[in-house]
Amino acid sequence: MPKKKDDSPKTLSEKEAKQLIDKLSVEIRHHQYLYYVKNEPKISDFDFDQMFRRLQDLEEAFPDLKDPASPTLVVGSDLDKDFEKFQHKLPVLSLINTYNDEELLDWVNKTDPEGLYSVEWKIDGASIVLYYENGMLQNGVTRGSGGIGDDVTDNIRTIRNIPLRLPEPITIYLRGEVFMTFKDFEEFNELSSGKYANPRNLSAGSIKQKNSADTAKRPLRIFTYDATFPDIAKKFRTHQEILTKLDKLTFPVPPDTVFVTGSKMAKTIQDFKKKKEKLGFPTDGLVVKLNDVSKRDALGYTSHSPRWARAYKFDAVMKESKIVDITYAVGRTGKITPRAEIEPVSLAGTTVTFATLHNQDYIDELGVGIGAVVRVAKRGEIIPAVEEVVTPGKDVFKIPDRCPSCKTKTIKKEGLVDLFCPNPDCPDRVKNGIIFYCQRKQMDIEGLGDKQIEFLYDHDYIKSVADLYDLKDKKEKLMEEEGFGEKSVAIILGGIEQSKQKDFRFVLPSIGLPELGHKVTELLIEHGIDSMDEILAISKDKNRIDSLLEIPGIGPSTVLAFQENFSDKRILKLIDRLKKAGLKMKADPVKVADQQPFAGQSWCVTGSFENFQPRDKAMDLIVYYGGRKVSAVSSKTTHLLAGPGAGSKLEKANELGIAVYDENQFLELLKSHKIDFKNPK
Ligand code: IVH
């Protein structure tokens, strides 16, 4: 949209600029609140972006007028730094766990059977403490040891639903959980080639980014669930009043919280369990808190936890066991995951002999070492984890600074808590890379499981994925190996041969390059970058590399990885070998119909449909009949197919005057072209 001349910051006096900055800041904060806290946006993303950019422009033109709590500050800074330690102003306590109704009710009955309790979601993210002085966010601090935490204020400021300034000049210390919705996690992880195990780990890593501009890119949110008001002691009589106050102060509080007495507790827990399936954010249980503040004070605290609250852990099939050793797995990206070898216990139907310890931070937080008695649990994920320490064992375990597989010195990667092996020839990395390549979701090579690949690598049959295509020359020798009979070798070689038919859409992500997963591959192909030659040509031209940023969904870290990947001689050599082996290096053309009524049109699809489930079916049809599919609405989009649940894309389409079709209108359109959507010809 062209700017009106008198709109330019340069034509404004300082006074006018100040007024405009104040007005825009208030409006932006209000819309951020409606969007991130209330979930009820009143304006389109497009309008919001315009307003935001306008404020940024003004602040750039009048730097002295910039408010320290400006909403534009959430973009983050590029400065790297170590975190300062912060002495908490109150002890940051944790909760005593209960694992079933009986344990919880037992506690309720012993504590205050008639009393009122809040029951709220226990959010599974990263614990954070926010300190506001006179209504301004001063510090955001990790829980740390409970006494001292890391000051991660710059990162916390980038979280969109954390208010930087409160509607009143109040001093308040709050506790909350930084988390990511499942949807946001999946989208972000997809763009990061699936390198994050779960939303909790990603959230925890995100608030510890050294560069706040990186935190700003992550779709983090917060729920606050507890607060103290050092200046206005005794004002709030109940937890309910505190939560209401937080809501008034524009803090997001967990949804669904109820207040019940002991007699309703069991039913309430059942109700929450039913709701859990549909919940959009990760939770690992409930927190039950006595509502009355004076009763809380009377009960007091143990050294670590309040006596007036309990966590109720869901699906807590927890078993106690002893850590006999701690070993590591080195993944294809080099990430080193420590895991505890434990005395075998049966857990949810399987015998568990090891449990993950995630990373050094997690080990430190638990304070765990070899010999510790621990509780292990299977969460939603497949791999069991050490969850709690019963007795700590020997010294807190320290991951050695050399890769357990190849002994190379390990490194820490910017903003990640994990340690990495940097050696691309590390045997475990290479093996896991080949395992990844052969997986069903990737090249889907039959007959090659983890064990076979490990054997082939250890016995020098294959040292890279390209070697798979020379394996046929060693057929006779291979058939002499134990476990590789004629039949299984035929299956393996057949599977490898078959993989040459796999579309480039699979070849590219299977190579396992950082940031180049299925989603980015699709985006590239969608924008006409549909062959390896094209990719390599772009990688040699700085301007063309930068222009990748214009593709919605591709950000700077992907572009950087793109540049690094395709200038790496080893990778180029591997690609060359795969090409020579006969793999497809150009995306298969999408099948097209004889008639092309959608030729020249660019369609975006959003919302859900009765006749097209999943909605990709509608997209396939459009492409089959000559249209182009796009994943985001832009000025180049010509049509939007919008079903119920359409959100910002619909608003943006209306904004840009793009033709919008609902399902019935789309069916009519198909009919007018004599297209039978159930039977396309
Ligand atoms: S209340 C003194 N409420 O669970 C009271 N904690 O195991 C402190 N958590 O460190 C906590 N959701 O990080 C409380 N609704 C909730 C919570 C919650 C998640 C986390 C929090 C805490 C841990 C305790």
Side-chain angles (χ1 to χ4, degrees), residues 92-97 120-128 143 175-177 225-226 254 284 287 289 301 305-306 308-309 311 313:
V92 186
L93 303 171
S94 58
L95 295 169
I96 297 171
N97 289 329
E120 58 196 51
W121 293 114
K122 185 171 188 301
I123 299 110
D124 198 12
S127 194
I128 200 87
R143 182 173 177 275
R175 290 198 57 183
E177 201 83 355
Y225 45 71
D226 194 25
D284 58 339
V287 183
K289 301 170 182 170
Y301 302 83
S305 327
W308 43 260
K313 293 272 212 160

Side-chain angles (χ1 to χ4, degrees), residues 33 37-38 242-253:
Y33 172 72
V37 181
K38 288 283 146 203
I242 294 175
L243 291 179
T244 307
K245 179 74 185 172
L246 293 185
D247 184 53
K248 283 221 176 81
L249 289 171
T250 72
F251 288 108
V253 288

Side-chain angles (χ1 to χ4, degrees), residues 171-190:
T171 291
I172 173 174
Y173 309 153
L174 302 102
R175 290 198 57 183
E177 201 83 355
V178 172
F179 69 97
M180 237 175 239
T181 64
F182 290 119
K183 188 165 165 278
D184 286 343
F185 169 74
E186 270 150 29
E187 279 175 14
F188 188 85
N189 203 23
E190 180 79 38

Side-chain angles (χ1 to χ4, degrees), residues 128-141:
I128 200 87
V129 188
L130 303 176
Y131 293 93
Y132 288 78
E133 310 274 350
N134 299 318
M136 297 288 284
L137 175 66
Q138 293 297 332
N139 298 93
V141 187

